[in-house]
Amino acid sequence: MKTCAKLLVHHTRKMPSVKTVRSASSSLWMSSLRHLVVLSSLCLLITGYSERDRTRELMSKYPVVDGHNDLALQLRILHNNQLSQIDLHNISNVATDINRLQAGHVQAQMFSVYVLCGAQEKDAVRLTLEQIDVVRRMCTEYRDFELVTSAKELNISEIRHKIACLISIEGGHSIDSSLPALRMFYQLGVRSMALTHNCNTPWAESSSKLYNVYQRQNNSLTHFGKAVVEEMNRLGMIVDLSHSSWDTAWAVLNHSKAPVIFSHSSSYSICSHSRNVPDWLLNELKRNRGLIMVNLHNNFISCKDKANISNVADHFDHIKKVIGAESIGIGGDFDGALSFPQGLEDVSKYPALIQELLHRNWTENELADVLRRNFLRVFEEVERVRDVLHSNHPSEVQIPVEEVQNPCRLVLRPPSKRKERPFNQSPSSRAQFGPPCLLIWPMVLLLSIIFSIE
Ligand SMILES: *[C@@H]1O[C@H](CO)[C@@H](O)[C@H](O)[C@H]1NC(C)=O
Ligand SMILES: *[C@@H]1O[C@H](CO)[C@@H](O)[C@H](O)[C@H]1NC(C)=O
Ligand SMILES: *[C@@H]1O[C@H](CO)[C@@H](O)[C@H](O)[C@H]1NC(C)=O
Ligand SMILES: *[C@@H]1O[C@H](CO)[C@@H](O)[C@H](O)[C@H]1NC(C)=O
Ligand SMILES: *[C@@H]1O[C@H](CO)[C@@H](O)[C@H](O)[C@H]1NC(C)=O
Ligand SMILES: [Zn+2]
């Protein structure tokens, strides 16, 4: 770019002045002018390319760590998790596959093992296990992928030219209000959990009011909710506040010993959707040294059904203005939402976004942070807190039974001596055989299909 400008200036100086031209032949003037035109078009061409090259070069050096992707949900919906039926290099009707991750310079992907809110109080734990299974299979059966469970492994996988897979739970309903279940998910490789999806849990509040479950007065994070956050800190699991209500997010920010993330949320000031984060909460996040990974879904970007790259860049600009580039990441939400901005339709399109931010005078240092260094820093700090807490024992806090009015929950007890009354009136055994579960199913399934995805 600079060389081009110099060349142009030089050439213009060399052009004959009007005075000298008066006597000289006009053909010299014309030929000079032609040279100038050719030179400037060449420069335009070169700068056009070099801007793209600059993006590619930056992204090769600092490839994307993406905070949220719902490919696993699509694998279930479209293929019933039968990996043998598809080639993960090239999958139709989704926005994510190996070819496009590589084209988009995505080096690490947090894969959500989301299960519908309708599974709360039912088989959320089984479904979550099955989603973990499919992500683990995907990431071990394909050589381009590598399952990672630490910041260091993530970093090393880049040198090994692998796409690192991280597993994240989306919605506390997946642990069925059980810290032992949370710990076992950690053992299976889960390194992050969003406290809610679109439904409240018995211990944390959702940003959404779609599901009329576990409504509480002024108690956005219960005593048990705090125990969940503490146990996640102790384990070294990243707390994800996307989908949580602002009150819950604030309570967690007050309570967490480790930095937290919003894995796929954008700016409320730019688009006033309850899934986005207002500036006051961004400031709390900054105090926590946490990270907001910008969601690309049209409805959260423009608050409309349509959006473009420029609208997305507005979110980045605004959040940078409020809390700085060191607090920003990228959480595309591909395959979890229906509509994405023009030019950012799938995971291969990330370079277009980075090029736009370079246009807007983001420095390469800032973008290296946004692309991956911020996430690595947060992940490392979460691990450091885990190391500091290593002498703490696993928490034995249990949720009070009256806080989980759940007809499908069996309270494990020795078989009753009064064998003649197998259907005694304890809530658990009623649920085991009774109709409440069965009746709720079709309704919940219907609701889930309508509201589930984003
Ligand atoms: C992906 O598969 C489709 C057919 O399912 C084919 O048309 C397309 O060329 C393939 N793309 C790549 C990049 O292999
Ligand atoms: C990742 O690796 C780079 C060198 O490749 C190193 O500079 C950086 O400190 C590492 N970061 C982490 C989190 O391990
Ligand atoms: C929350 O609500 C309870 C009653 O539901 C009340 O006793 C308590 O004072 C309230 N706390 C705050 C901080 O408003
Ligand atoms: C967070 O902490 C601040 C300062 O200690 C306090 O004023 C605020 O009420 C707390 N918010 C929540 C939701 O706990
Ligand atoms: C993007 O969309 C906005 C409307 O939200 C429009 O004003 C702007 O011109 C568009 N930008 C581009 C580059 O298309
Ligand atoms: Zn989501």
Side-chain angles (χ1 to χ4, degrees):
M1 185 81 185
K2 270 175 198 152
T3 332
C4 263
K6 266 187 212 152
L7 260 172
L8 278 176
V9 169
H10 185 67
H11 200 82
T12 318
R13 282 213 194 105
K14 260 181 44 186
M15 274 175 65
S17 75
V18 182
K19 274 176 205 156
T20 52
V21 162
R22 207 179 282 155
S23 55
S25 78
S26 67
S27 75
L28 176 66
W29 163 257
M30 284 310 290
S31 107
S32 244
L33 194 66
R34 215 173 298 131
H35 277 135
L36 187 65
V37 168
V38 169
L39 195 60
S40 15
S41 358
L42 204 66
C43 277
L44 256 179
L45 213 65
I46 290 167
T47 46
Y49 274 124
S50 79
E51 220 140 50
R52 219 157 89 204
D53 286 348
R54 212 176 134 210
T55 305
R56 297 276 169 189
E57 207 174 295
L58 180 69
M59 295 185 79
S60 304
K61 213 163 152 202
Y62 302 102
V64 180
V65 177
D66 182 332
H68 195 85
N69 182 292
D70 271 305
L71 176 63
L73 176 66
Q74 298 307 326
L75 291 178
R76 174 170 289 266
I77 293 173
L78 300 173
H79 301 286
N80 203 18
N81 284 0
Q82 290 171 298
L83 290 188
S84 59
Q85 311 288 308
I86 51 172
D87 176 3
L88 284 185
H89 289 95
N90 179 9
I91 319 172
S92 28
N93 302 319
V94 298
T96 314
D97 55 31
I98 292 171
N99 289 344
R100 281 176 285 174
L101 286 166
Q102 286 169 341
H105 294 272
V106 179
Q107 189 272 313
Q109 181 64 69
M110 193 108 82
F111 283 109
S112 166
V113 289
Y114 167 66
V115 304
L116 308 182
C117 266
Q120 174 152 242
E121 303 189 355
K122 297 187 189 62
D123 42 10
V125 174
R126 171 182 65 84
L127 289 165
T128 306
L129 284 168
E130 289 176 357
Q131 292 309 92
I132 292 173
D133 173 70
V134 81
V135 173
R136 290 188 63 112
R137 281 192 60 195
M138 181 171 108
C139 298
T140 49
E141 291 174 18
Y142 281 79
R143 290 174 47 209
D144 301 288
F145 280 131
E146 184 167 64
L147 187 71
V148 303
T149 53
S150 71
K152 197 168 172 200
E153 281 174 13
L154 196 170
N155 212 17
I156 290 171
S157 72
E158 195 255 320
I159 297 160
R160 289 156 48 81
H161 301 290
K162 303 275 190 183
I163 300 168
C165 304
L166 288 154
I167 305 176
S168 76
I169 289 175
E170 188 175 14
H173 56 286
S174 281
I175 64 166
D176 199 6
S177 301
S178 159
L179 296 183
L182 174 73
R183 287 194 283 271
M184 291 303 98
F185 282 132
Y186 181 88
Q187 290 298 324
L188 294 175
V190 175
R191 288 297 174 269
S192 155
M193 178 172 81
L195 299 189
T196 73
H197 191 257
N198 285 339
C199 45
N200 296 341
T201 64
W203 43 273
E205 187 181 64
S206 168
S207 64
S208 166
K209 305 276 174 266
L210 281 178
Y211 292 84
N212 184 27
V213 292
Y214 297 117
Q215 305 291 348
R216 294 179 297 274
Q217 298 285 322
N218 75 16
N219 200 2
S220 61
L221 188 69
T222 67
H223 177 70
F224 183 77
K226 286 180 181 150
V228 171
V229 171
E230 285 163 21
E231 192 64 356
M232 289 177 77
N233 285 168
R234 191 190 69 84
L235 288 166
M237 201 190 273
I238 304 169
V239 179
D240 180 358
L241 296 178
S242 279
H243 285 288
S244 287
S245 74
W246 298 346
D247 278 349
T248 294
W250 191 21
V252 172
L253 285 163
N254 269 5
H255 202 70
S256 176
K257 291 192 174 73
V260 306
I261 62 172
F262 288 86
S263 70
H264 59 306
S265 296
S266 306
S267 161
Y268 185 83
S269 284
I270 302 294
C271 161
S272 54
H273 192 293
S274 63
R275 272 283 278 103
N276 286 340
V277 185
D279 291 352
W280 67 265
L281 196 51
L282 286 177
N283 281 308
E284 296 295 325
L285 181 68
K286 187 183 175 66
R287 286 198 328 169
N288 161 271
R289 302 179 49 75
L291 195 61
I292 174 169
M293 308 179 86
V294 176
N295 188 317
L296 306 182
H297 177 35
N298 284 348
N299 293 18
F300 305 153
I301 287 297
S302 63
C303 285
K304 298 196 187 98
D305 292 333
K306 286 200 168 149
N308 59 36
I309 296 181
S310 176
N311 302 142
V312 176
D314 291 345
H315 284 262
F316 280 84
D317 277 346
H318 179 79
I319 299 170
K320 184 171 94 168
K321 199 179 76 196
V322 179
I323 52 171
E326 69 275 15
S327 311
I328 310 177
I330 299 170
D333 205 4
F334 286 111
D335 288 320
L338 291 176
S339 58
F340 286 89
Q342 207 178 8
L344 283 177
E345 295 86 356
D346 62 52
V347 294
S348 71
K349 306 292 172 61
Y350 281 123
L353 171 62
I354 301 307
Q355 194 171 329
E356 171 68 16
L357 294 176
L358 277 168
H359 265 305
R360 295 189 178 203
N361 294 322
W362 284 59
T363 67
E364 298 196 352
N365 203 37
E366 286 169 341
L367 289 173
D369 281 352
V370 168
L371 284 163
R372 64 186 286 114
R373 290 196 307 218
N374 288 339
F375 183 83
L376 277 170
R377 169 183 60 78
V378 167
F379 198 3
E380 276 192 321
E381 282 189 34
V382 166
E383 291 173 340
R384 210 170 299 139
V385 169
R386 171 200 64 191
D387 294 344
V388 167
L389 300 175
H390 79 277
S391 59
N392 289 13
H393 291 291
S395 169
E396 295 183 349
V397 171
Q398 293 185 16
I399 196 160
V401 175
E402 60 272 20
E403 287 178 21
V404 272
Q405 309 115 14
N406 178 354
C408 299
R409 199 177 182 90
L410 174 69
V411 180
L412 197 61
R413 292 216 174 85
S416 166
K417 278 182 188 144
R418 289 178 291 170
K419 287 247 164 60
E420 67 280 8
R421 286 182 64 202
F423 300 96
N424 67 34
Q425 292 308 301
S426 90
S428 49
S429 55
R430 187 167 23 92
Q432 220 175 335
F433 301 97
C437 284
L438 296 175
L439 279 179
I440 295 164
W441 250 115
M443 272 171 57
V444 167
L445 205 65
L446 194 70
L447 270 175
S448 315
I449 288 165
I450 298 168
F451 295 121
S452 67
I453 306 177
E454 60 186 47

